[in-house]
Amino acid sequence: MHNSLHASGLVQDRWSWRGLTSCHLLALALFASWLWPPGRQLWDSFDRHLFALLNAPLATSTSWAYLWGVASMRLADLVLGLLMLGFLLKGNWIFTGAQVRSALYAFLSVLFLLLLIRSILFSEVVRIMHWQHDGPSLVVDGAVRLSTLFPDWAEHWSMKDSSRRSFPGDHASVLLLWAMFLWPFASGRQRLLIGFLSVIVLLPRLVSGAHWGSDVFVGGMFLGLVSFGWGFYTPYAAKASTLLERLSAPVLQRLAKFPGLRRISLISG
């Protein structure tokens, strides 16, 4: 599915019908399994069991509660987001120093595409089809709420442990898009780190009950696959990256005149 990303440039200014079709077939098959009544029963069962497995220990394990209480804070989202960004910006690790800027611009352009698809198209379909629902912490009897365990944290650090609009998992779609983009360029050890970070980012909202498993693995994955397909298997990412390169060039050229900044791959590349 990623072959077109391996040529001379990070992204290619051409259509790749095989890759685009593969992304859409995978996305549609996943979504169909959720819409098909027998498949929906399996997903609903998966959702209930996953939530019970992750959420119930909050009531009995202090360390489990503290771990996910901290991880559910908005500040933790910021830290993890910066760490994810570091995978793109660190030169000569996944990308060479000369590729860092192109990699960042390509990812940001497709992230913008994902946000458009989510906010303009998919949200309207979800509304019309009445697919929207509450997260498990609001509907499961006996669900443990982190905001109840740590009221002071919830007041001062804005903890995410519930949602009235749980579908799809927005954080999950961004994370999965990030992982899909990095995966073909990463080595074995780097892929382990990408996978580990993906789990760390996904788990807090599943543990706290802000999202069901299917919100992440159906809704989030669907958006990630569709956005990835239209972003990287069409000329979109290449053209958007070229535009961003042209717009940012004057600023980066001035910043590169400073000796300390010249060593940063994003600026010097």
Side-chain angles (χ1 to χ4, degrees):
M1 194 171 77
H2 296 291
N3 290 341
S4 69
L5 298 179
H6 283 291
S8 57
L10 291 178
V11 290
Q12 296 190 33
D13 188 5
R14 64 178 178 82
W15 291 82
S16 175
W17 293 106
R18 181 178 179 181
L20 184 61
T21 302
S22 296
C23 285
H24 282 73
L25 287 177
L26 285 172
L28 290 173
L30 191 63
F31 212 83
S33 73
W34 186 71
L35 294 176
W36 185 46
R40 183 60 170 270
Q41 291 180 0
L42 292 175
W43 277 111
D44 288 347
S45 177
F46 168 76
D47 284 344
R48 292 191 300 271
H49 283 87
L50 181 65
F51 180 64
L53 176 68
L54 297 176
N55 182 262
L58 293 175
T60 57
S61 173
T62 302
S63 58
W64 187 258
Y66 272 94
L67 171 64
W68 297 111
V70 172
S72 296
M73 294 179 183
R74 297 293 186 183
L75 181 60
D77 285 342
L78 176 61
V79 172
L80 290 171
L82 292 174
L83 186 57
M84 290 168 60
L85 189 61
F87 277 67
L88 288 164
L89 295 181
K90 182 173 173 54
N92 300 315
W93 193 51
I94 292 180
F95 303 104
T96 67
Q99 291 176 326
V100 162
R101 193 184 303 167
S102 296
L104 177 65
Y105 289 166
F107 177 74
L108 290 178
S109 65
V110 182
L111 177 60
F112 176 71
L113 180 63
L114 182 150
L115 297 177
L116 285 181
I117 293 173
R118 168 67 176 90
S119 61
I120 296 177
L121 298 176
F122 195 69
S123 61
E124 187 65 16
V125 174
V126 169
R127 184 187 66 81
I128 293 172
M129 300 302 294
H130 304 289
W131 290 336
Q132 193 54 264
H133 49 243
D134 293 339
S137 66
L138 299 178
V139 298
V140 175
D141 291 337
V144 182
R145 294 284 298 273
L146 287 168
S147 56
T148 301
L149 293 178
F150 306 108
D152 290 339
W153 290 6
E155 180 180 356
H156 296 100
W157 297 100
S158 184
M159 299 173 71
K160 177 73 172 180
D161 72 345
S162 65
S163 177
R164 291 289 183 186
R165 301 175 61 83
S166 178
F167 185 84
D170 292 327
H171 280 74
S173 62
V174 174
L175 170 70
L176 293 169
L177 178 65
W178 170 83
M180 279 186 262
F181 175 55
L182 292 180
W183 196 261
F185 303 105
S187 66
R189 181 179 297 180
Q190 292 164 347
R191 288 179 176 181
L192 285 176
L193 287 172
I194 292 169
F196 176 75
L197 183 58
S198 298
V199 171
I200 295 300
V201 175
L202 286 176
L203 275 177
R205 283 166 175 74
L206 295 174
V207 173
S208 68
H211 292 292
W212 298 97
S214 58
D215 298 333
V216 170
F217 301 114
V218 175
M221 182 65 80
F222 178 86
L223 285 173
L225 283 168
V226 171
S227 302
F228 185 88
W230 282 104
F232 293 111
Y233 292 120
T234 72
Y236 168 78
K239 292 185 180 300
S241 298
T242 300
L243 176 61
L244 290 174
E245 183 81 35
R246 186 165 63 247
L247 292 175
S248 64
V251 175
L252 294 178
Q253 287 170 3
R254 291 184 180 181
L255 292 176
K257 295 178 180 179
F258 294 91
L261 298 178
R262 196 178 303 150
R263 289 183 255 176
I264 301 175
S265 297
L266 177 63
I267 296 174
S268 63

